[in-house]
């Protein structure tokens, strides 16, 4: 069951990144709520997986906070930094939209979300998608300290507190009276999704059942979200617009959490067979690269539009087919040649030293610690 759960979580990554590609390549008007929903799904997944990893390490008899924390950050850097900084280097060389170089320091420091919030516009657009990666890195700075050092019995309460603080941030807009990118880009705007995933991991670590209201109520919340998105009236004033935005941010939280909960346990039947499809899993494995490279590939495709028979300069099937395919190819090459070998180096940085763990648990020295080595193999 353990392997099945991670396979199906890969499938969820594939779904999330496809929603982003649809929003940026195919959706009318150049945007779609599905793109934002895909990013929110990524956040719930990240919060769950990272917290699960850290709790599994903490539950080991030979756990030590310092080595575990050091291993966490080294493993994060091995997985995330190389392709990320390769993209920044390419953008510096090519400068596809003639405005990227001036903000590269912000992106290099994982402050992309603050850059766009402060400037109140999506320029440079070629790096605009990095805002979500910046929020995740900001989350990684503090959250491992909380998971590894806070009293375990308090972790669920801490997660709920973070969710409530994030939800209270939704009142930021009415107070300042100026809707803009900051309402979505400042860290509190996404901590509810990340902490929701973390809360799921905390529940699972205690073998606790999900709350009854969550198990029974999430379909109604999902239905309300889609009805409001597709059929809700156009807001006539700022108060109505704020209320609509507030609901569209909050309503999907429980459904997204339940989707991750189901797939982390292993979904059976036809849905499970669908999630187990090899192409979906393969796309999930390279989803980080797909997300990271897709805007860069789009910028290059637009530069070479005269040599491309289909229209990639505008939203539509041509862009989705050509740029989407090229993005998957680039991400696949990056995974096989670049990311996968570096990812393999994480075996040298276990969360719990194998020798000490074996001595405490009775396993032969050098024996595997499956739960601590497997669960973030693709993170």
């Amino acid at each position: 069951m353990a392997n099945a759960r991670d396979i199906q979580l890969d499938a969820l990554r594939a779904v999330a990144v496809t929603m982003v590609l649809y929003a940026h390549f195919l959706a009318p008007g150049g945007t779609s709520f599905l793109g934002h929903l895909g990013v929110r799904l990524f956040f719930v997944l990240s919060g769950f997986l990272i917290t699960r990893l850290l709790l599994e390490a903490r539950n080991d008899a030979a756990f030590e906070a310092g080595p575990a924390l050091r291993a966490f950050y080294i493993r994060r850097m091995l997985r995330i930094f190389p392709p990320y900084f390769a993209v920044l280097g390419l953008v510096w060389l090519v400068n596809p939209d003639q405005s990227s170089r001036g903000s590269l320091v912000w992106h290099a420091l994982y402050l992309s979300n603050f850059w766009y919030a402060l400037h109140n516009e999506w320029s440079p657009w070629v790096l605009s998608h990095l805002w979500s990666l910046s929020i995740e890195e900001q989350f990684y700075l503090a959250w491992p300290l909380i998971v590894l050092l806070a009293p375990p019995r308090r972790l669920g309460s801490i997660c709920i507190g973070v969710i409530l603080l994030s939800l209270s941030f939704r009142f930021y807009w009415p107070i300042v009276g100026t809707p803009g990118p900051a309402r979505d880009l400042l860290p509190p705007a996404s901590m509810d999704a990340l902490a929701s995933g973390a809360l799921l991991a905390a529940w699972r670590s205690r073998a606790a059942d999900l709350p009854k209201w969550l198990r029974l109520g999430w379909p109604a919340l999902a239905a309300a979200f889609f009805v409001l998105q597709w059929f809700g009236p156009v807001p006539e004033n700022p108060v109505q617009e704020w209320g609509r935005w507030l609901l569209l941010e909050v309503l999907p939280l429980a459904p997204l959490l339940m989707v991750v909960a189901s797939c982390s346990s292993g979904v059976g039947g036809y849905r499970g067979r669908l999630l187990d499809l090899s192409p979906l899993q393969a796309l999930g494995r390279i989803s980080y690269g797909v997300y990271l490279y897709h805007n860069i590939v789009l910028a290059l495709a637009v530069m070479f539009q005269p040599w491309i028979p289909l229209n990639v300069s505008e939203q539509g099937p041509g862009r989705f087919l050509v740029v989407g395919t090229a993005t998957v190819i680039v991400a696949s090459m990056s995974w096989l040649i670049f990311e996968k070998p570096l990812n393999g180096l994480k075996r040298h940085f276990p969360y719990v030293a194998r020798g000490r763990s074996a001595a405490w648990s009775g396993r032969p020295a050098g024996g595997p610690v499956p739960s601590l080595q497997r669960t973030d193999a693709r993170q």
Side-chain angles (χ1 to χ4, degrees), residues 65-78:
L69 195 62
R70 181 169 61 251
F72 172 83
Y73 288 119
I74 293 174
R75 293 164 74 94
R76 289 289 86 202
M77 289 188 287
L78 286 171

Side-chain angles (χ1 to χ4, degrees), residues 51 143 154-164 195-196 198-200 202:
T51 306
W143 192 247
R154 300 295 185 191
L155 184 59
S157 299
I158 292 172
C159 292
I160 292 173
V162 173
I163 293 170
L164 292 176
S196 294
L199 180 60
L200 174 61

Side-chain angles (χ1 to χ4, degrees), residues 109-365:
L109 294 174
Y110 282 97
L111 295 173
S112 304
N113 55 327
F114 284 98
W115 168 269
Y116 292 110
L118 289 171
H119 289 78
N120 204 36
E121 61 179 356
W122 293 102
S123 178
W125 70 266
V126 73
L127 296 173
S128 59
H129 62 302
L130 300 186
W131 72 270
S132 62
L133 301 182
S134 294
I135 283 183
E136 289 207 4
E137 288 303 302
Q138 291 154 19
F139 176 73
Y140 294 154
L141 284 177
W143 192 247
L145 293 170
I146 295 173
V147 177
L148 296 178
L149 299 177
R153 66 183 183 279
R154 300 295 185 191
L155 184 59
S157 299
I158 292 172
C159 292
I160 292 173
V162 173
I163 293 170
L164 292 176
L165 286 173
S166 181
L167 295 179
S168 68
F169 173 78
R170 309 298 177 198
F171 293 91
Y172 160 85
W173 176 9
I175 292 172
V176 299
T178 53
R183 69 178 189 179
D184 297 309
L185 299 183
L186 295 179
S190 298
M191 290 301 124
D192 52 357
L194 287 158
S196 294
L199 180 60
L200 174 61
W203 284 334
R204 288 283 170 81
S205 72
R206 296 186 288 107
D209 291 333
L210 299 181
K212 186 175 181 179
W213 71 265
L214 183 62
R215 289 184 281 111
L216 298 179
W218 73 266
L221 294 173
F225 170 79
F226 285 108
V227 167
L228 179 63
Q229 176 63 48
W230 283 330
F231 305 109
V234 176
E236 297 181 356
N237 55 62
V239 173
Q240 291 181 4
E241 173 61 21
W242 168 75
R244 183 177 187 274
W245 169 76
L246 176 67
L247 289 172
L248 291 177
E249 290 294 307
V250 174
L251 288 174
L253 272 179
L256 291 177
L257 180 61
M258 286 303 301
V259 168
V260 173
S262 298
C263 291
S264 66
S265 299
V267 177
Y270 73 92
R271 291 176 298 173
R273 290 192 294 273
L274 180 62
L275 291 169
D276 291 342
L277 289 175
S278 297
L280 202 61
Q281 296 167 26
L283 181 59
R285 282 192 293 273
I286 64 170
S287 58
Y288 173 57
V290 172
Y291 185 84
L292 183 60
Y293 298 128
H294 79 279
N295 261 13
I296 316 302
V297 175
L298 173 59
L300 296 175
V302 171
M303 290 174 62
F304 288 97
Q305 176 64 87
W307 290 274
I308 300 175
L310 298 177
N311 182 10
V312 298
S313 298
E314 299 177 351
Q315 295 282 108
R319 172 179 286 188
F320 188 78
L321 177 63
V322 174
V323 185
T325 301
T327 300
V328 170
I329 292 173
V330 170
S332 300
M333 294 173 59
S334 173
W335 170 254
L336 292 173
I337 299 172
F338 186 34
E339 298 172 58
K340 188 177 180 180
L342 289 171
N343 211 37
L345 297 177
K346 293 195 294 186
R347 67 183 182 275
H348 299 297
F349 305 97
Y351 289 99
V352 177
R354 292 176 181 175
R356 288 198 296 270
S357 183
W360 281 91
S361 66
R363 288 191 301 271

Side-chain angles (χ1 to χ4, degrees), residues 20 23 32-41 131 184 248-249:
V20 173
S32 165
F33 76 96
L34 287 177
H36 186 64
L37 203 60
V39 172
R40 299 275 279 174
L41 176 55
W131 72 270
D184 297 309
L248 291 177
E249 290 294 307

